[in-house]
């Protein structure tokens, strides 16, 4: 998702690009994600934290990019402003949500705390025994596989070259420049090289002496389907979420597991996801399990992604380590990478995302 988005942003500016992928294009975390997008926000006047600025910019870009991709390719990526609810079962979860709502207020995100008897007005499927429900009318979603197809088609139509099943196995560096990328299909020379290889990025960068760990964080998802539409809004509770599609399917996610590069689904976490979904929305007991899968989110050494030039190199750009937020941050990340390639001043302060920054603490408010 990150690499294709960067390719699309550069192709729109007339830059010739080649995208190399170790397997089938976009079949890792990009394909596996649920497609949740944060609501649009209007941060308060004054200095804005760069992570908030990046997320707000992406939220503004998504409807623009989606319309452009549809016009260019005829592919509907499934962008929908469905709204969503964040809910709590316990007093501790209620306190955490109240704190989060304070950040929403500062960021200019519209929300409403619902009274206990009013849950059904927004989402009839919700369990009435929930302790707290917040409604966010501007939450949105896309269909990851469709968005990937649209990006690939638009990139190719502008002259971009895509090389799936073409694994990168090294680089040729001369001084402070990477002059070629070595792959199973031979060497590719380039004026700029961008590493956006998800959880595999850290391994690639090690060969250049660049330390940017991208540890994999496994996430498993269950796909449910009913004989009728069962859910209207995105539902999020702690680390669990439910994402309803137009066709009646519902994605239930997601685990967060330190399982190395093991990507096969396993029974116990999937059962726990299904149980949590039914507790949140009892009507989902009517649904059948249609599919399960897993993906590997690319972490970083803290809670932020890496975006910017690699230390010691003036033409090597890194765009990786987005963890749970790769989908939602991909348009803005792509525009920042294009800024660097084209020699423009980045539109968000990249010091916040430098590889050699001091580690940060805290969690993002939204996930993909």
């Amino acid at each position: 998702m990150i690499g294709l988005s960067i390719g699309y942003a550069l192709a729109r500016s007339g830059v010739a690009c080649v995208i190399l992928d170790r397997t089938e294009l976009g079949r890792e975390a990009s394909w596996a994600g649920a497609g949740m997008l944060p609501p649009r926000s209007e941060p308060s006047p004054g200095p804005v934290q760069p992570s908030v600025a990046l997320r707000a910019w992406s939220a503004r870009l998504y409807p623009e990019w989606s319309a452009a991709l549809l016009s260019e390719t005829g592919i509907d990526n499934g962008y929908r402003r469905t709204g969503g609810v964040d809910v709590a079962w316990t007093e501790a979860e209620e306190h955490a949500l109240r704190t989060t709502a304070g950040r929403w207020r500062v960021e200019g995100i519209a929300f409403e705390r619902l009274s206990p008897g009013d849950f059904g007005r927004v989402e009839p499927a919700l369990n009435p025994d929930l302790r707290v429900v917040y409604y966010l009318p501007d939450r949105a979603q896309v269909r990851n596989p469709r968005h990937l197809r649209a990006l690939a088609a638009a990139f190719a139509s502008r002259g971009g070259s895509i090389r799936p099943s073409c694994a990168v196995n090294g680089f040729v560096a001369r001084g402070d420049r990477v002059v070629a990328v070595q792959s199973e299909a031979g060497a590719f020379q380039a004026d700029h090289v961008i590493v956006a290889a998800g959880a595999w990025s850290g391994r690639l960068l090690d060969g250049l002496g660049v330390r940017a760990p991208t540890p994999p964080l496994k996430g498993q998802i269950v796909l449910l389907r009913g004989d009728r539409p069962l859910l209207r809004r995105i539902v999020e509770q702690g680390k669990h979420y439910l994402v309803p599609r137009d066709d009646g399917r519902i994605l239930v996610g997601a685990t967060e597991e330190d399982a190395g590069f093991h990507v096969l689904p396993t029974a116990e976490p999937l059962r726990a996801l299904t149980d949590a979904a039914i507790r949140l929305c009892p009507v989902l007991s009517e649904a059948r399990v249609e599919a399960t899968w897993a993906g590997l989110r690319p972490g970083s050494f803290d809670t932020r992604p890496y975006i910017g030039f690699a230390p010691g190199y003036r033409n090597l750009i890194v765009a990786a380590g987005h963890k749970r937020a790769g989908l939602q941050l991909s348009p803005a990340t792509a525009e920042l990478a294009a800024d660097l390639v084209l020699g423009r001043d980045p539109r968000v302060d990249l010091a916040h995302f430098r590889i050699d920054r001091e580690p940060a603490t805290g969690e993002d408010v939204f996930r993909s």
Side-chain angles (χ1 to χ4, degrees):
M1 195 72 75
I2 301 293
L4 273 173
S5 297
I6 293 171
Y8 176 59
L10 288 170
R12 284 171 44 152
S13 296
V15 179
C17 307
V18 179
I19 295 177
L20 309 180
D21 198 305
R22 60 186 287 275
T23 58
E24 185 181 346
L25 191 69
R27 291 294 298 188
E28 299 293 347
S30 300
W31 183 90
M36 294 188 297
L37 300 176
R40 295 183 65 163
S41 62
E42 298 294 338
S44 303
V48 177
Q49 204 249 15
S51 289
V52 173
L54 188 69
R55 190 174 64 242
W57 186 15
S58 261
R60 292 193 300 271
L61 285 173
Y62 250 108
E64 299 172 13
W65 275 39
S66 299
L69 290 170
L70 179 61
S71 176
E72 293 176 36
T73 70
I75 299 173
D76 177 6
N77 67 0
Y79 176 83
R80 303 288 187 271
R81 179 178 164 272
T82 55
V85 291
D86 278 39
V87 306
W89 283 114
T90 67
E91 183 177 357
E93 289 177 352
E94 177 182 4
H95 176 74
L97 260 183
R98 191 182 304 117
T99 301
T100 298
R103 284 182 279 174
W104 295 338
R105 186 175 293 107
V106 171
E107 293 179 28
I109 292 172
F111 69 93
E112 175 187 1
R113 177 168 173 158
L114 303 179
S115 60
D118 206 24
F119 299 168
R121 171 175 62 86
V122 170
E123 179 47 71
L126 284 176
N127 191 324
D129 293 334
L130 281 160
R131 185 182 183 96
V132 173
V133 174
Y134 284 83
Y135 173 45
L136 292 88
D138 294 327
R139 264 192 181 274
Q141 61 170 282
V142 294
R143 303 285 287 264
N144 295 33
R146 295 182 188 179
H147 188 56
L148 288 164
R149 288 200 303 272
L151 286 170
F155 174 70
S157 72
R158 291 175 177 269
S161 175
I162 298 174
R163 300 293 297 267
S165 301
C166 184
V168 172
N169 51 37
F171 303 91
V172 178
R174 291 179 186 158
D176 60 359
R177 293 182 59 84
V178 176
V179 297
V181 176
Q182 296 174 321
S183 78
E184 296 174 346
F188 292 82
Q189 296 182 342
D191 293 324
H192 287 84
V193 174
I194 302 172
V195 176
W200 289 263
S201 298
R203 290 181 173 182
L204 290 175
L205 293 165
D206 280 345
L208 290 167
V210 175
R211 184 182 180 278
T214 52
L217 184 66
K218 182 178 179 179
Q220 304 193 48
I221 285 182
V222 178
L223 179 65
L224 302 179
R225 188 171 189 176
D227 294 327
R228 60 186 179 88
L230 301 174
L231 195 62
R232 291 164 45 187
R233 312 287 187 188
I234 296 168
V235 178
E236 186 164 353
Q237 179 261 323
K239 295 181 179 180
H240 296 123
Y241 56 74
L242 313 175
V243 183
R245 301 302 199 201
D246 288 346
D247 56 14
R249 291 178 170 90
I250 298 166
L251 283 81
V252 181
T255 64
E256 294 186 4
E257 305 168 55
D258 183 6
F261 285 86
H262 182 275
V263 77
L264 293 177
T266 50
E268 180 59 34
L270 294 173
R271 182 174 65 181
L273 288 175
T274 304
D275 289 346
I278 293 171
R279 186 182 179 213
L280 285 168
C281 299
V283 71
L284 295 183
S285 62
E286 300 177 14
R288 60 186 179 275
V289 174
E290 184 171 281
T292 62
W293 62 81
L296 300 175
R297 310 175 186 90
S300 67
F301 60 58
D302 57 14
T303 60
R304 304 173 192 162
Y306 310 119
I307 307 173
F309 286 109
Y313 295 91
R314 59 191 178 96
N315 73 329
L316 176 64
I317 297 167
V318 180
H322 290 71
K323 202 175 178 181
R324 300 175 310 201
L327 174 79
Q328 63 179 263
L329 298 180
S330 54
T333 298
E335 295 290 357
L336 287 173
D339 286 344
L340 297 177
V341 170
L342 295 168
R344 301 184 302 223
D345 290 335
R347 285 164 278 181
V348 173
D349 180 10
L350 289 183
H352 193 73
F353 306 106
R354 289 171 56 100
I355 291 174
D356 53 357
R357 64 184 179 258
E358 289 296 319
T361 58
E363 285 290 333
D364 292 330
V365 180
F366 297 100
R367 67 191 71 192
S368 297

